[in-house]
Short mmCIF file of all heavy atoms in Angstrom, two decimals:
data_model
loop_
_atom_site.label_atom_id
_atom_site.label_comp_id
_atom_site.label_asym_id
_atom_site.label_seq_id
_atom_site.Cartn_x
_atom_site.Cartn_y
_atom_site.Cartn_z
N GLY N 1 -7.81 -14.99 -6.28
CA GLY N 1 -8.30 -16.02 -5.37
C GLY N 1 -7.54 -16.03 -4.06
O GLY N 1 -7.02 -15.01 -3.61
N VAL N 2 -7.47 -17.21 -3.41
CA VAL N 2 -6.64 -17.40 -2.21
C VAL N 2 -5.32 -17.97 -2.69
O VAL N 2 -5.19 -19.17 -2.91
CB VAL N 2 -7.33 -18.33 -1.20
CG1 VAL N 2 -6.43 -18.57 0.02
CG2 VAL N 2 -8.67 -17.74 -0.75
N SER N 3 -4.34 -17.11 -2.90
CA SER N 3 -3.12 -17.52 -3.62
C SER N 3 -1.88 -16.93 -2.96
O SER N 3 -1.96 -16.15 -2.00
CB SER N 3 -3.19 -17.04 -5.07
OG SER N 3 -3.22 -15.63 -5.13
N ASP N 4 -0.72 -17.29 -3.52
CA ASP N 4 0.55 -16.77 -3.00
C ASP N 4 0.65 -15.26 -3.19
O ASP N 4 1.24 -14.57 -2.34
CB ASP N 4 1.72 -17.46 -3.72
CG ASP N 4 1.85 -18.92 -3.35
OD1 ASP N 4 1.40 -19.29 -2.25
OD2 ASP N 4 2.38 -19.70 -4.16
N ILE N 5 0.09 -14.74 -4.28
CA ILE N 5 0.15 -13.30 -4.51
C ILE N 5 -0.62 -12.54 -3.43
O ILE N 5 -0.15 -11.53 -2.90
CB ILE N 5 -0.42 -12.95 -5.91
CG1 ILE N 5 0.47 -13.55 -7.01
CG2 ILE N 5 -0.53 -11.44 -6.08
CD1 ILE N 5 1.85 -12.96 -7.08
N VAL N 6 -1.81 -13.05 -3.08
CA VAL N 6 -2.60 -12.40 -2.04
C VAL N 6 -1.92 -12.55 -0.69
O VAL N 6 -1.93 -11.63 0.14
CB VAL N 6 -4.03 -12.97 -2.01
CG1 VAL N 6 -4.85 -12.30 -0.91
CG2 VAL N 6 -4.71 -12.76 -3.35
N ASP N 7 -1.32 -13.72 -0.44
CA ASP N 7 -0.52 -13.89 0.78
C ASP N 7 0.57 -12.81 0.86
O ASP N 7 0.76 -12.17 1.89
CB ASP N 7 0.16 -15.27 0.77
CG ASP N 7 -0.65 -16.30 1.55
OD1 ASP N 7 -1.68 -15.93 2.14
OD2 ASP N 7 -0.25 -17.47 1.55
N ALA N 8 1.28 -12.61 -0.26
CA ALA N 8 2.37 -11.64 -0.30
C ALA N 8 1.85 -10.23 -0.09
O ALA N 8 2.44 -9.43 0.66
CB ALA N 8 3.12 -11.73 -1.63
N TYR N 9 0.74 -9.90 -0.74
CA TYR N 9 0.18 -8.56 -0.61
C TYR N 9 -0.25 -8.28 0.82
O TYR N 9 0.05 -7.22 1.38
CB TYR N 9 -1.01 -8.40 -1.56
CG TYR N 9 -1.63 -7.02 -1.50
CD1 TYR N 9 -1.03 -5.95 -2.15
CD2 TYR N 9 -2.80 -6.80 -0.78
CE1 TYR N 9 -1.59 -4.68 -2.09
CE2 TYR N 9 -3.36 -5.53 -0.71
CZ TYR N 9 -2.76 -4.48 -1.37
OH TYR N 9 -3.30 -3.23 -1.30
N GLN N 10 -0.94 -9.25 1.44
CA GLN N 10 -1.41 -9.06 2.81
C GLN N 10 -0.24 -8.94 3.78
O GLN N 10 -0.24 -8.08 4.67
CB GLN N 10 -2.32 -10.23 3.21
CG GLN N 10 -2.92 -10.12 4.60
CD GLN N 10 -3.88 -8.95 4.72
OE1 GLN N 10 -4.46 -8.52 3.73
NE2 GLN N 10 -4.03 -8.42 5.92
N PHE N 11 0.77 -9.80 3.61
CA PHE N 11 1.93 -9.76 4.49
C PHE N 11 2.69 -8.44 4.33
O PHE N 11 3.05 -7.79 5.33
CB PHE N 11 2.85 -10.95 4.18
CG PHE N 11 4.09 -11.00 5.02
CD1 PHE N 11 4.07 -11.56 6.29
CD2 PHE N 11 5.29 -10.49 4.54
CE1 PHE N 11 5.22 -11.61 7.07
CE2 PHE N 11 6.44 -10.53 5.32
CZ PHE N 11 6.40 -11.10 6.59
N THR N 12 2.94 -8.03 3.10
CA THR N 12 3.71 -6.82 2.84
C THR N 12 2.96 -5.58 3.31
O THR N 12 3.55 -4.67 3.92
CB THR N 12 4.03 -6.69 1.34
OG1 THR N 12 4.58 -7.92 0.86
CG2 THR N 12 5.04 -5.57 1.10
N LEU N 13 1.66 -5.54 3.05
CA LEU N 13 0.84 -4.41 3.48
C LEU N 13 0.90 -4.24 4.99
O LEU N 13 1.12 -3.13 5.50
CB LEU N 13 -0.61 -4.63 3.03
CG LEU N 13 -1.66 -3.65 3.55
CD1 LEU N 13 -1.41 -2.27 2.97
CD2 LEU N 13 -3.06 -4.13 3.21
N THR N 14 0.75 -5.33 5.71
CA THR N 14 0.71 -5.26 7.17
C THR N 14 2.08 -4.93 7.76
O THR N 14 2.21 -4.04 8.61
CB THR N 14 0.20 -6.58 7.76
OG1 THR N 14 -1.09 -6.86 7.23
CG2 THR N 14 0.13 -6.51 9.28
N MET N 15 3.10 -5.63 7.30
CA MET N 15 4.42 -5.46 7.90
C MET N 15 5.06 -4.13 7.54
O MET N 15 5.72 -3.49 8.37
CB MET N 15 5.33 -6.62 7.48
CG MET N 15 4.82 -8.00 7.89
SD MET N 15 4.55 -8.19 9.67
CE MET N 15 6.22 -8.08 10.28
N ALA N 16 4.89 -3.68 6.29
CA ALA N 16 5.51 -2.41 5.88
C ALA N 16 4.77 -1.22 6.45
O ALA N 16 5.36 -0.15 6.67
CB ALA N 16 5.55 -2.33 4.35
N ASN N 17 3.47 -1.38 6.68
CA ASN N 17 2.66 -0.25 7.15
C ASN N 17 2.60 -0.12 8.66
O ASN N 17 2.13 0.90 9.16
CB ASN N 17 1.21 -0.39 6.62
CG ASN N 17 1.02 0.32 5.30
OD1 ASN N 17 1.95 0.88 4.74
ND2 ASN N 17 -0.19 0.29 4.80
N TRP N 18 3.05 -1.13 9.38
CA TRP N 18 2.75 -1.13 10.81
C TRP N 18 3.36 0.06 11.55
O TRP N 18 2.71 0.69 12.39
CB TRP N 18 3.16 -2.45 11.47
CG TRP N 18 4.61 -2.60 11.81
CD1 TRP N 18 5.56 -3.18 11.07
CD2 TRP N 18 5.25 -2.16 13.01
NE1 TRP N 18 6.78 -3.12 11.71
CE2 TRP N 18 6.60 -2.51 12.92
CE3 TRP N 18 4.80 -1.51 14.16
CZ2 TRP N 18 7.52 -2.22 13.92
CZ3 TRP N 18 5.72 -1.22 15.16
CH2 TRP N 18 7.07 -1.58 15.04
N LEU N 19 4.61 0.41 11.22
CA LEU N 19 5.24 1.52 11.94
C LEU N 19 4.64 2.87 11.55
O LEU N 19 4.28 3.65 12.44
CB LEU N 19 6.75 1.52 11.72
CG LEU N 19 7.54 2.55 12.53
CD1 LEU N 19 7.23 2.42 14.01
CD2 LEU N 19 9.04 2.42 12.28
N PRO N 20 4.51 3.20 10.24
CA PRO N 20 3.88 4.50 9.93
C PRO N 20 2.44 4.59 10.41
O PRO N 20 2.01 5.66 10.89
CB PRO N 20 3.96 4.58 8.40
CG PRO N 20 4.21 3.19 7.94
CD PRO N 20 4.99 2.54 9.03
N VAL N 21 1.68 3.50 10.32
CA VAL N 21 0.30 3.53 10.81
C VAL N 21 0.27 3.71 12.32
O VAL N 21 -0.58 4.42 12.87
CB VAL N 21 -0.44 2.25 10.39
CG1 VAL N 21 -1.77 2.12 11.12
CG2 VAL N 21 -0.67 2.24 8.88
N THR N 22 1.23 3.09 13.02
CA THR N 22 1.35 3.27 14.47
C THR N 22 1.61 4.73 14.82
O THR N 22 0.98 5.31 15.72
CB THR N 22 2.49 2.41 15.02
OG1 THR N 22 2.19 1.04 14.78
CG2 THR N 22 2.67 2.62 16.51
N MET N 23 2.54 5.33 14.11
CA MET N 23 2.88 6.72 14.38
C MET N 23 1.71 7.64 14.07
O MET N 23 1.42 8.58 14.82
CB MET N 23 4.12 7.10 13.57
CG MET N 23 5.34 6.28 13.93
SD MET N 23 6.78 6.69 12.94
CE MET N 23 7.13 8.33 13.54
N VAL N 24 1.03 7.37 12.96
CA VAL N 24 -0.14 8.18 12.61
C VAL N 24 -1.21 8.05 13.70
O VAL N 24 -1.83 9.05 14.11
CB VAL N 24 -0.71 7.75 11.24
CG1 VAL N 24 -2.10 8.32 11.03
CG2 VAL N 24 0.22 8.20 10.13
N GLY N 25 -1.43 6.83 14.20
CA GLY N 25 -2.43 6.64 15.25
C GLY N 25 -2.08 7.39 16.51
O GLY N 25 -2.94 8.05 17.12
N ALA N 26 -0.81 7.32 16.92
CA ALA N 26 -0.39 8.01 18.14
C ALA N 26 -0.44 9.53 17.97
O ALA N 26 -0.97 10.25 18.81
CB ALA N 26 1.02 7.57 18.52
N PHE N 27 0.13 10.01 16.86
CA PHE N 27 0.19 11.45 16.66
C PHE N 27 -1.19 12.06 16.43
O PHE N 27 -1.45 13.18 16.86
CB PHE N 27 1.10 11.77 15.48
CG PHE N 27 2.55 11.41 15.71
CD1 PHE N 27 3.41 11.21 14.66
CD2 PHE N 27 3.03 11.27 17.00
CE1 PHE N 27 4.74 10.87 14.87
CE2 PHE N 27 4.36 10.94 17.23
CZ PHE N 27 5.21 10.74 16.17
N SER N 28 -2.09 11.31 15.79
CA SER N 28 -3.43 11.84 15.55
C SER N 28 -4.15 12.07 16.87
O SER N 28 -4.82 13.10 17.06
CB SER N 28 -4.23 10.88 14.68
OG SER N 28 -3.70 10.80 13.38
N ILE N 29 -4.02 11.13 17.78
CA ILE N 29 -4.72 11.24 19.06
C ILE N 29 -4.24 12.45 19.85
O ILE N 29 -5.03 13.16 20.47
CB ILE N 29 -4.56 9.94 19.87
CG1 ILE N 29 -5.34 8.80 19.19
CG2 ILE N 29 -5.06 10.12 21.30
CD1 ILE N 29 -5.12 7.45 19.82
N VAL N 30 -2.93 12.70 19.82
CA VAL N 30 -2.42 13.85 20.57
C VAL N 30 -2.45 15.14 19.74
O VAL N 30 -2.50 16.23 20.30
CB VAL N 30 -0.98 13.59 21.07
CG1 VAL N 30 -0.95 12.40 21.99
CG2 VAL N 30 -0.01 13.40 19.92
N LEU N 31 -2.43 15.00 18.42
CA LEU N 31 -2.40 16.18 17.56
C LEU N 31 -3.75 16.89 17.50
O LEU N 31 -3.81 18.12 17.50
CB LEU N 31 -1.99 15.79 16.14
CG LEU N 31 -0.54 15.99 15.72
CD1 LEU N 31 -0.36 15.57 14.28
CD2 LEU N 31 -0.13 17.43 15.92
N ILE N 32 -4.82 16.11 17.43
CA ILE N 32 -6.13 16.74 17.23
C ILE N 32 -6.49 17.70 18.35
O ILE N 32 -6.87 18.85 18.09
CB ILE N 32 -7.22 15.67 17.00
CG1 ILE N 32 -6.98 14.99 15.64
CG2 ILE N 32 -8.61 16.28 17.04
CD1 ILE N 32 -7.87 13.81 15.36
#
């Protein structure tokens, strides 16, 4: 449901992924 576990999952997913996803986005655009 709308719960503390989902809050934690959404927060952790976004905050932990932001730097690698940023790098992937930048490198993909110049790499391709």
Side-chain angles (χ1 to χ4, degrees):
V2 178
S3 64
D4 291 335
I5 295 294
V6 179
D7 265 356
Y9 181 78
Q10 182 65 26
F11 179 83
T12 311
L13 172 66
T14 302
M15 300 303 293
N17 268 3
W18 81 265
L19 186 54
V21 168
T22 298
M23 298 178 69
V24 166
F27 294 158
S28 293
I29 291 174
V30 299
L31 262 181
I32 291 173

